[in-house]
Amino acid sequence: TPLYSSAASDVYKRQINNQIKELSHELLERLKLFSDDFKIAYSHGDFQDANILLTEEGLKVIDWETIDNRSISYDFFTIYLRARRGMDKENLWDDSEEFFNQTINVFKNSLGLNLIKDHQKYLTLFFLEELVYLLKSSCSINFVKNGIGLNKKLPLLKNKVKDFFV
């Protein structure tokens, strides 16, 4: 027996589609406020503390199946905002101000990217790229099995966009 009736399933799909359209439209409109000279690089795509191992040889980053071209700051925002843990402002990295300042200096000195000046621009792009990540992940059986489908993650992302831009 199907979990939802066909009519209920159609309503659910329309609701999800409308949420995706609204959020993507909002983020694309925000991006229009900025220049389009984004720096792009290969990105891990799921950079989180669970994918960083401390070994005898030093730090190792694992779980590279989501590597792709993204904004140069995507992995930074993923780990800094703890995107895989809900992006609650209370759950930012311990000593997050120090972490942020050190990372900002690395971006500026090594990559020529001024995240202080371009913070809103790259944060907007991050949320748009995070929407793409959710859409790709929603095709994963594990993603759906663990109860973290679009119906749960999409409203969280919409709320975080509002939290960070209001």
Side-chain angles (χ1 to χ4, degrees), residues 2-53:
L3 187 58
Y4 299 106
S5 70
S6 180
S9 179
D10 288 343
V11 169
Y12 168 76
K13 288 177 190 174
R14 276 195 303 276
Q15 288 173 339
I16 292 292
N17 285 338
N18 287 337
Q19 288 180 47
I20 292 168
K21 286 177 190 176
E22 288 171 16
L23 183 56
S24 58
H25 178 73
E26 177 185 341
L27 291 168
L28 287 170
E29 286 300 309
R30 282 190 60 76
L31 276 181
K32 288 180 184 178
L33 301 172
F34 307 107
S35 68
D36 61 354
D37 61 338
F38 297 102
K39 293 188 179 197
I40 304 298
Y42 275 117
S43 162
H44 182 276
D46 190 19
F47 198 58
Q48 58 174 308
D49 45 0
N51 290 333
I52 303 169
L53 304 176

Side-chain angles (χ1 to χ4, degrees), residues 63-76:
D63 194 14
W64 287 88
E65 68 265 5
T66 54
I67 190 170
D68 206 345
N69 284 315
R70 293 182 186 85
S71 66
I72 201 163
S73 59
Y74 181 80
D75 286 335
F76 165 74

Side-chain angles (χ1 to χ4, degrees), residues 25-145:
H25 178 73
E26 177 185 341
L27 291 168
L28 287 170
E29 286 300 309
R30 282 190 60 76
L31 276 181
K32 288 180 184 178
L33 301 172
F34 307 107
S35 68
D36 61 354
D37 61 338
F38 297 102
K39 293 188 179 197
I40 304 298
Y42 275 117
S43 162
H44 182 276
D46 190 19
F47 198 58
Q48 58 174 308
D49 45 0
N51 290 333
I52 303 169
L53 304 176
L54 180 59
T55 69
E56 289 180 11
E57 293 84 34
L59 292 176
K60 303 289 181 196
V61 179
I62 62 169
D63 194 14
W64 287 88
E65 68 265 5
T66 54
I67 190 170
D68 206 345
N69 284 315
R70 293 182 186 85
S71 66
I72 201 163
S73 59
Y74 181 80
D75 286 335
F76 165 74
F77 281 120
T78 301
I79 200 163
Y80 178 71
L81 299 176
R82 291 194 175 248
R84 303 301 172 256
R85 295 181 183 232
M87 289 188 276
D88 296 325
K89 287 187 179 181
E90 309 80 59
N91 282 337
L92 296 179
W93 272 79
D94 293 338
D95 302 320
S96 60
E97 188 174 329
E98 182 182 343
F99 174 79
F100 185 81
N101 290 332
Q102 287 176 352
T103 307
I104 293 299
N105 287 332
V106 168
F107 273 93
K108 191 171 185 179
N109 296 336
S110 303
L111 306 171
L113 179 65
N114 186 343
L115 266 185
I116 300 282
K117 182 180 109 207
D118 293 331
H119 180 76
Q120 292 290 308
K121 175 170 107 172
Y122 278 95
L123 189 58
T124 301
L125 187 56
F126 166 77
F127 282 122
L128 189 58
E129 290 173 314
E130 191 64 7
L131 176 59
V132 171
Y133 174 85
L134 288 179
L135 293 171
K136 285 181 177 180
S137 298
S138 69
C139 299
S140 161
I141 292 172
N142 287 331
F143 189 80
V144 176
K145 264 189 196 176

Side-chain angles (χ1 to χ4, degrees), residues 153-166:
K153 291 297 247 179
L154 197 54
L156 290 174
L157 184 59
K158 284 176 66 175
N159 288 334
K160 291 307 149 194
V161 168
K162 286 179 183 158
D163 286 351
F164 282 92
F165 294 128
V166 171

